[in-house]
């Protein structure tokens, strides 16, 4: 198969998976310009495409490549000539810094700094505490525990602490890990009799940055190891920073002694951004991307994008891609059009029927099964998912939702939502599926 045919095959598989609309906008313009020894070089019109694809469909190209070629492919992107020079200059500094730190074994996203973090009422305290910790690690607040909802800047802040310290204390041993990485590392260390090595590595740190600590729930041996690690670091006045989507007291299924360690220093939260903060972030990010937006459009976006800063970025990437391709000025109407799957228009409330239909379609079951009494997994899971999404996207009460599912009571709805939430907290693919269903329903 020539590389042209190969890419054609990939594209048609992608189109099947993402739908024609998304495909035309984001995947069709991507070209395969080189394919050798399982290394693929893809050309994108501008860098927004790469970011967008990686954000929304991080594995899709690997997956279809695997499907078509039967083996794993290494994917690299290249931005079409014209834009590449500008970007190169802009990214060169960040990239060389990333390299320099990586050589020392420190892996931190160089974009996440205190300078690039915009502050407002909702995140001021978290920001100031993080900065204080970065200025005198191990001395002010230990541990620092930052919690808040998805996409509100926890990873950004915890990484900023690492970047700040890495620039000022060259000899510091800094480690950023997510709780999932920590867990995997621990499990594999146990399996390969390397527990001692891992222990030594963690206990020689000057700063431990541990992201998404809620994922420790239920993993007892790992929790014990973490508990001892925290104690050892704390005793030697080494800094520990943790983030989570909820405060220590609400993390279920962790041991009491670990919970009390989490909360032993300072606990701060990040609230959803207020309108002014959203506007400031939009302005700053648009300016950095050289995307011109009128005040009117900035306000429109800030009002429509509800609470999540990651969504704001998603919107700007899309607007940026469009304006880079067409040179059209972004008006409110155009923004509304381009972003119709992200921003919710209040005039068209989402109905439970609509949700049932979309979910049934996605799982390949009949819509009336949503209302049936069948309890097989094939039916029960989509039904639970539809109930969960109904609770999230409509204002219906639990018992109203139950009624729409063939007269189930409200306890059944609560149970279903909990089942879905539990799986969401451990299963990334399931998460992605639910998010894409929600996006589809909002269209
Ligand atoms: P969380 O870890 O809380 O889910 P992230 O830290 O990953 O959220 O933030 C999501 C995105 O939003 C990141 O790209 C981050 O840079 C950006 N972001 C969040 N808060 C801010 C802020 N106050 N200023 C600038 N960018 C922000
Ligand atoms: Mg995060």
């Amino acid at each position: 198969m020539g590389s042209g045919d190969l890419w054609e095959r990939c594209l048609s598989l992608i189109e099947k998976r993402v739908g024609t609309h998304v495909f035309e906008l984001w995947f069709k313009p991507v070209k395969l310009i080189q394919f050798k020894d399982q290394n693929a070089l893809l050309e994108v019109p501008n860098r927004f495409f790469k970011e967008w694809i990686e954000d929304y469909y991080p594995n899709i190209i690997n997956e279809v490549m695997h499907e078509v070629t039967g083996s794993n492919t290494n994917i690299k992107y290249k931005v079409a000539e014209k834009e590449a020079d500008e970007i190169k200059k802009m990214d060169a500094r960040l990239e060389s810094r990333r390299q320099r730190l990586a050589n020392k074994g420190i892996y931190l996203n160089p974009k996440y700094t205190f300078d690039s973090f915009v502050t407002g009422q909702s995140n001021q305290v978290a920001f100031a505490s993080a900065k204080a910790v970065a200025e005198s690690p191990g001395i002010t607040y230990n541990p620092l525990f930052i919690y808040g909802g998805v996409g509100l800047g926890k990873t950004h802040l915890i990484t900023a602490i690492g970047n700040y310290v890495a620039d000022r204390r060259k000899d510091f041993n800094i480690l950023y890990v997510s709780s999932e990485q920590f867990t995997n590392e621990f499990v594999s260390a146990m399996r390969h009799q390397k527990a001692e090595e891992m222990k030594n590595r963690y206990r020689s740190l000057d700063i431990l940055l541990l992201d998404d600590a809620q994922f420790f729930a239920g993993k007892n041996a790992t929790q014990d190891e973490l508990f001892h690690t925290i104690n050892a670091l704390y005793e030697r006045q080494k800094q520990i920073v943790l983030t989570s989507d909820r405060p220590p007291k609400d993390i279920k299924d962790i041991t009491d002694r670990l919970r009390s360690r989490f909360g032993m220093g300072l606990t701060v939260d990040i609230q959803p951004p207020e309108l002014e903060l959203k506007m400031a972030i939009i302005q700053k990010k648009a300016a950095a991307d050289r995307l011109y937006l009128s005040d009117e459009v900035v306000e429109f976006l800030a009002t429509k994008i509800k609470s999540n800063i990651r969504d704001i970025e998603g919107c700007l990437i899309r607007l940026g891609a469009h304006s880079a391709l067409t040179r059209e000025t972004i008006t409110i109407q155009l923004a509304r059009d381009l972003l119709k799957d992200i921003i919710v228009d209040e005039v068209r409330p989402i109905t439970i029927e609509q949700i049932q239909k979309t979910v049934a379609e996605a799982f390949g079951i009949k819509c009336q099964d949503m209302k049936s009494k069948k309890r097989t997994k094939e039916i029960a899971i989509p039904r639970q998912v539809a109930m969960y999404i109904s609770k999230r996207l409509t204002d219906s009460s639990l018992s109203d939702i139950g009624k729409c599912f063939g007269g189930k009571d409200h306890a059944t709805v609560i149970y279903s939502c909990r089942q879905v939430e539990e799986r969401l907290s451990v299963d990334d693919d399931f998460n992605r599926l639910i998010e894409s269903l929600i996006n589809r329903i909002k269209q």
Side-chain angles (χ1 to χ4, degrees):
M1 194 174 353
S3 69
D5 297 341
L6 180 148
W7 189 235
E8 285 301 315
R9 287 282 309 280
C10 290
L11 286 176
S12 76
L13 289 173
I14 293 176
E15 182 170 7
K16 269 198 209 115
R17 284 169 60 168
V18 303
T20 305
H21 179 67
V22 168
F23 174 76
E24 292 281 330
L25 208 55
W26 294 105
F27 289 97
K28 203 168 165 199
V30 179
K31 295 186 196 123
L32 177 68
I33 55 175
Q34 210 182 71
F35 184 68
K36 224 176 114 194
D37 308 329
Q38 299 307 317
N39 289 306
L41 185 62
L42 299 175
E43 186 183 271
V44 287
N46 58 56
R47 99 202 100 103
F48 292 112
F49 280 78
K50 170 174 178 288
E51 287 175 18
W52 192 89
I53 292 172
E54 285 178 343
D55 254 24
Y56 286 85
Y57 295 96
N59 301 318
I60 193 167
I61 295 185
N62 288 95
E63 285 163 13
V64 295
M65 279 290 209
H66 192 273
E67 211 174 319
V68 173
T69 67
S71 46
N72 288 327
T73 306
N74 202 347
I75 311 276
K76 285 221 164 70
Y77 290 90
K78 174 175 182 293
V79 175
E81 269 337 308
K82 208 161 77 248
E83 185 155 354
D85 286 347
E86 277 178 43
I87 306 310
K88 263 192 219 136
K89 251 183 261 152
M90 212 162 64
D91 286 353
R93 211 170 35 102
L94 291 181
E95 193 45 46
S96 79
R97 188 168 176 290
R98 189 208 297 271
Q99 276 301 329
R100 209 173 54 238
L101 291 183
N103 291 341
K104 294 202 296 177
I106 301 176
Y107 299 92
L108 295 167
N109 184 336
K111 282 190 193 162
Y112 292 171
T113 62
F114 288 127
D115 288 338
S116 62
F117 193 85
V118 186
T119 58
Q121 216 179 352
S122 50
N123 60 20
Q124 186 66 54
V125 176
F127 175 83
S129 320
K131 194 84 190 275
V133 160
E135 270 159 9
S136 36
I139 295 169
T140 36
Y141 311 117
N142 203 15
L144 174 63
F145 190 102
I146 304 170
Y147 73 92
V150 175
L152 298 186
K154 301 181 297 295
T155 298
H156 188 136
L157 265 189
I158 197 174
T159 310
I161 296 176
N163 277 317
Y164 189 93
V165 178
D167 282 345
R168 285 162 184 80
R169 317 249 180 139
K170 305 282 181 215
D171 54 330
F172 259 45
N173 199 351
I174 304 168
L175 182 66
Y176 166 92
V177 277
S178 68
S179 57
E180 276 161 315
Q181 283 168 295
F182 184 91
T183 307
N184 293 341
E185 204 179 318
F186 178 67
V187 170
S188 133
M190 294 300 281
R191 193 172 301 148
H192 299 105
Q193 275 86 43
K194 296 227 167 93
E196 200 58 29
E197 233 167 83
M198 176 171 173
K199 202 162 136 185
N200 293 338
R201 188 160 91 86
Y202 273 83
R203 292 180 194 185
S204 69
L205 292 174
D206 295 290
I207 300 192
L208 172 61
L209 306 167
L210 189 66
D211 209 0
D212 287 321
Q214 71 272 12
F215 289 123
F216 282 116
K219 297 164 186 135
N220 287 344
T222 314
Q223 286 182 29
D224 285 344
E225 180 60 26
L226 179 64
F227 173 78
H228 293 301
T229 304
I230 291 181
N231 280 347
L233 292 176
Y234 181 79
E235 271 164 24
R236 292 171 36 240
Q237 292 200 344
K238 304 300 184 185
Q239 182 70 48
I240 302 137
V241 186
L242 303 137
T243 73
S244 161
D245 64 352
R246 63 201 80 173
K249 71 171 173 39
D250 293 342
I251 306 180
K252 280 174 288 169
D253 295 329
I254 59 167
T255 58
D256 285 337
R257 60 179 195 170
L258 186 58
R259 192 194 324 278
S260 88
R261 283 297 175 274
F262 281 178
M264 155 176 83
L266 177 70
T267 300
V268 291
D269 69 339
I270 304 184
Q271 290 290 323
E274 63 279 10
L275 184 69
E276 293 76 14
L277 177 59
K278 285 191 275 183
M279 287 175 63
I281 289 173
I282 293 170
Q283 268 151 352
K284 180 156 180 170
K285 294 202 189 271
D289 289 342
R290 305 211 196 127
L291 169 66
Y292 173 76
L293 297 177
S294 67
D295 291 348
E296 211 182 42
V297 172
V298 171
E299 191 173 336
F300 168 78
L301 293 174
T303 326
K304 290 294 174 183
I305 307 169
K306 280 303 167 224
S307 57
N308 182 321
I309 294 168
R310 192 169 293 134
D311 283 352
I312 293 184
E313 291 185 331
C315 290
L316 292 177
I317 287 173
R318 197 177 295 186
L319 297 179
H322 186 88
S323 97
L325 279 179
T326 64
R327 313 261 164 228
E328 255 179 287
T329 313
I330 307 283
T331 59
I332 291 187
Q333 191 48 50
L334 182 59
R336 195 193 292 277
D337 250 26
L338 288 170
L339 306 173
K340 58 176 174 283
D341 56 327
I342 302 182
I343 59 187
V344 219
D345 240 334
E346 281 98 35
V347 289
R348 239 177 351 118
I350 292 167
T351 64
I352 296 178
E353 286 69 35
Q354 218 178 312
I355 295 171
Q356 291 173 327
K357 189 163 161 284
T358 311
V359 176
E361 242 171 52
F363 282 87
I365 64 168
K366 294 197 215 80
C367 202
Q368 67 250 37
D369 284 336
M370 288 283 174
K371 301 182 182 180
S372 74
K373 294 206 157 47
K374 292 182 200 157
R375 289 194 190 189
T376 55
K377 231 163 77 187
E378 289 71 38
I379 310 283
I381 291 177
R383 190 192 290 134
Q384 289 173 346
V385 166
M387 287 186 186
Y388 167 82
I389 296 180
S390 300
K391 183 177 146 228
R392 262 184 66 177
L393 298 189
T394 72
D395 292 328
S396 311
S397 70
L398 293 172
S399 56
D400 284 342
I401 294 176
K403 277 184 203 134
C404 294
F405 285 81
K408 312 248 174 342
D409 61 13
H410 93 288
T412 308
V413 180
I414 294 180
Y415 173 79
S416 299
C417 293
R418 223 170 262 155
Q419 292 290 101
V420 173
E421 277 158 10
E422 264 167 33
R423 178 145 173 216
L424 281 174
S425 70
V426 294
D427 184 342
D428 280 350
D429 284 338
F430 190 62
N431 249 306
R432 240 172 268 137
L433 172 72
I434 300 292
E435 285 312 312
S436 84
L437 280 171
I438 287 178
N439 281 339
R440 206 175 306 164
I441 290 160
K442 284 183 184 166
Q443 278 178 19

